[in-house]
Amino acid sequence: MKKKAIPKILIVCTLLLTITGCSEKIKSKKEVNKETPGENTAVINNENEEDTIFYVDDIEDLHLDEEFKISNYYIRNKVTGLNHYYIDANNVLWGTGRNSYLQMGLINEDDINNLEPIYYDVKIAENVIHVDCSVNGYFMIYLTDTGELYGVGANLNGVLCEPVNADDMLNPWMNLVSQPKLLMEDVVYARSGRESITVLKEDGSVWWWGQFLSTSLTKQTQSHMENQQPQLMLEDAIYAVCGDIGAAAITKNGELYTWGCNTWGQCGVACGPDDYIRNAVKAADNVKIVWLEDIGFETTNLKWTEDIIMDYNDHYEYNTFIQTRDGALMACGIGLGKEKKVAEIYEDMEEEKSSIYSSEFLSISISEKPSKQSLQ
């Protein structure tokens, strides 16, 4: 789905696709290379010159050298092109920016479908430990210290657990949840995609609902994957994550399961006649943590402005990344390996895209972006 164009915001979205011939899985931990390829950068896993380097915003935010702990991955600061949400030291959730879908829980009918931002911080909720939101600003979710997951904003495809209207996708402001709504209890962790949510509960069950819609497909007739009600995807899990067009979860014994768009093998399994993996499938073993599309958790940008310029040089829409329990960094998807295919890009104009890809996880290196954008 093409993202909604927002006047007054310049969104620079550059997909870095470095192509190599690397095809061997890494089974042992790699060391940090002290040589830096650019200003203020550090490269990890760079023993093999053939490793593809992917950019990250902040390596320290990844907790690579620490044991798995779910609280390491809570998001307390989230900045998009439309909003800034943050949790203060007293666990109060605040928001600023657009309220065009009432995504800040501030009821003002004049805000609906209105791009004029709110310039002051709005208090949204107390006792909050984690926040996430749709990159398009459609909705926001937050988790309390008692395990309650709330959501507010546009109810696309029932993502906020309200009845669905036929024209929600074309007119998201016509089906709004104007006050934070309790979506699920006994929640340990939750992540938002562009139009969907993945939830991990205390009992280890993983739930997903909403919609994945990719514009890079082999068949336009398979344009999307959706569930309008929470669907049980996996059990016995310790972690789960949601991207814009895919999701993943890790079990207690380190098995990685994925589902969603697999046009470029980004689910870590062979591409098939359907561009979507519609049920969770095992993709790897011995996995500590997984990232979809972006390698990171927190947003390091601390300020939001009306004319913010978002830097997407570390966004990889068709890649999945993992760190194994022995420390190796790996990835699958477009720009890796030796498999090759042609897919259609369905946006304003239909065109073909040809690229190499890997449906298996291969060794990679990561580096902080050469320069960090200042929003002061």
Side-chain angles (χ1 to χ4, degrees):
M1 177 180 180
K2 187 178 179 183
K3 294 181 182 178
K4 185 178 175 102
I6 306 297
K8 301 183 181 179
I9 299 180
L10 175 61
I11 299 180
V12 180
C13 185
T14 304
L15 179 62
L16 176 67
L17 298 175
T18 310
I19 298 176
T20 73
C22 177
S23 61
E24 182 180 356
K25 287 189 178 181
I26 300 301
K27 297 182 180 179
S28 61
K29 184 175 180 180
K30 292 194 169 189
E31 302 297 324
V32 176
N33 187 327
K34 307 237 181 241
E35 295 181 2
T36 56
E39 181 182 359
N40 298 325
T41 65
V43 174
I44 293 181
N45 263 32
N46 194 25
E47 286 182 350
N48 186 343
E49 292 182 357
E50 293 183 349
D51 281 358
T52 302
I53 297 177
F54 290 88
Y55 286 128
V56 303
D57 204 23
D58 185 354
I59 286 179
E60 289 187 6
D61 179 47
L62 306 182
H63 304 281
L64 296 177
D65 296 326
E66 300 177 34
E67 295 293 323
F68 177 91
K69 185 169 66 173
I70 195 70
S71 59
N72 281 343
Y73 314 124
Y74 289 154
I75 299 172
R76 298 182 68 89
N77 188 69
K78 182 79 174 188
V79 177
T80 71
L82 289 90
N83 291 97
H84 179 196
Y85 300 103
Y86 70 94
I87 304 168
D88 68 18
N90 297 314
N91 289 341
V92 176
L93 173 62
W94 301 84
T96 190
R98 266 71 176 178
N99 194 44
S100 50
Y101 306 114
L102 305 185
Q103 64 264 41
M104 291 197 296
L106 186 64
I107 301 177
N108 185 349
E109 291 188 2
D110 291 337
D111 289 341
I112 298 175
N113 200 27
N114 184 348
L115 299 181
E116 183 66 24
I118 295 172
Y119 294 100
Y120 58 89
D121 289 350
V122 175
K123 182 178 179 180
I124 299 173
E126 298 180 346
N127 305 314
V128 178
I129 60 174
H130 171 70
V131 63
D132 204 0
C133 65
S134 164
V135 68
N136 279 24
Y138 294 134
F139 61 91
M140 179 266 294
I141 61 173
Y142 64 86
L143 180 63
T144 69
D145 56 11
T146 57
E148 296 178 322
L149 180 69
Y150 289 84
V152 63
N155 182 49
L156 295 172
N157 282 83
V159 73
L160 297 182
C161 300
E162 288 290 329
V164 175
N165 295 329
D167 59 350
D168 282 353
M169 293 305 299
L170 295 177
N171 304 290
W173 54 86
M174 299 297 290
N175 188 350
L176 303 179
V177 175
S178 60
Q179 287 284 277
K181 172 185 170 62
L182 180 62
L183 303 180
M184 198 169 279
E185 297 179 285
D186 303 319
V187 174
V188 174
Y189 194 70
R191 293 296 297 270
S192 164
R194 187 171 58 224
E195 298 150 7
S196 62
I197 298 171
T198 300
V199 169
L200 171 67
K201 299 193 69 175
E202 291 177 358
D203 62 3
S205 61
V206 175
W207 303 78
W208 174 81
W209 68 99
Q211 175 176 256
F212 293 142
L213 191 150
S214 175
T215 57
S216 181
L217 303 165
T218 56
K219 295 182 177 66
Q220 191 175 14
T221 54
Q222 302 166 356
S223 63
H224 68 286
M225 169 181 169
E226 68 176 9
N227 281 308
Q228 295 182 0
Q229 299 292 332
Q231 177 179 346
L232 178 64
M233 304 301 294
L234 192 66
E235 295 181 288
D236 200 34
I238 60 171
Y239 184 75
V241 65
C242 193
D244 290 342
I245 56 175
I250 303 170
T251 65
K252 291 179 180 178
N253 61 5
E255 294 178 332
L256 173 70
Y257 286 79
T258 59
W259 60 96
C261 182
N262 194 45
T263 302
W264 299 103
Q266 65 263 43
C267 283
V269 297
C271 300
D274 190 345
D275 283 314
Y276 290 89
I277 303 296
R278 300 181 184 271
N279 295 289
V281 295
K282 184 178 175 180
D285 288 301
N286 195 37
V287 176
K288 172 192 166 185
I289 194 66
V290 57
W291 302 272
L292 301 177
E293 303 159 11
D294 300 275
I295 309 174
F297 303 99
E298 295 268 3
T299 304
T300 58
N301 300 331
L302 297 180
K303 290 187 177 181
W304 180 93
T305 62
E306 182 181 3
D307 56 353
I308 185 174
I309 300 175
M310 295 300 293
D311 180 2
Y312 288 111
N313 284 324
D314 55 351
H315 179 77
Y316 306 92
E317 187 171 9
Y318 305 112
N319 293 100
T320 297
F321 308 89
I322 61 172
Q323 184 189 27
T324 64
R325 290 183 171 183
D326 54 14
L329 294 172
M330 309 180 78
C332 62
I334 200 167
L336 295 163
K338 297 180 180 179
E339 301 172 84
K340 189 173 183 179
K341 71 186 302 185
V342 176
E344 299 288 340
I345 307 297
Y346 299 100
E347 293 185 317
D348 289 337
M349 297 182 64
E350 184 176 321
E351 60 178 318
E352 289 187 346
K353 178 180 181 64
S354 175
S355 178
I356 60 169
Y357 71 96
S358 175
S359 57
E360 296 184 358
F361 284 94
L362 306 177
S363 173
I364 64 165
S365 298
I366 63 174
S367 171
E368 287 187 352
K369 291 182 292 188
S371 62
K372 295 183 178 180
Q373 180 181 353
S374 173
L375 300 178
Q376 302 299 321

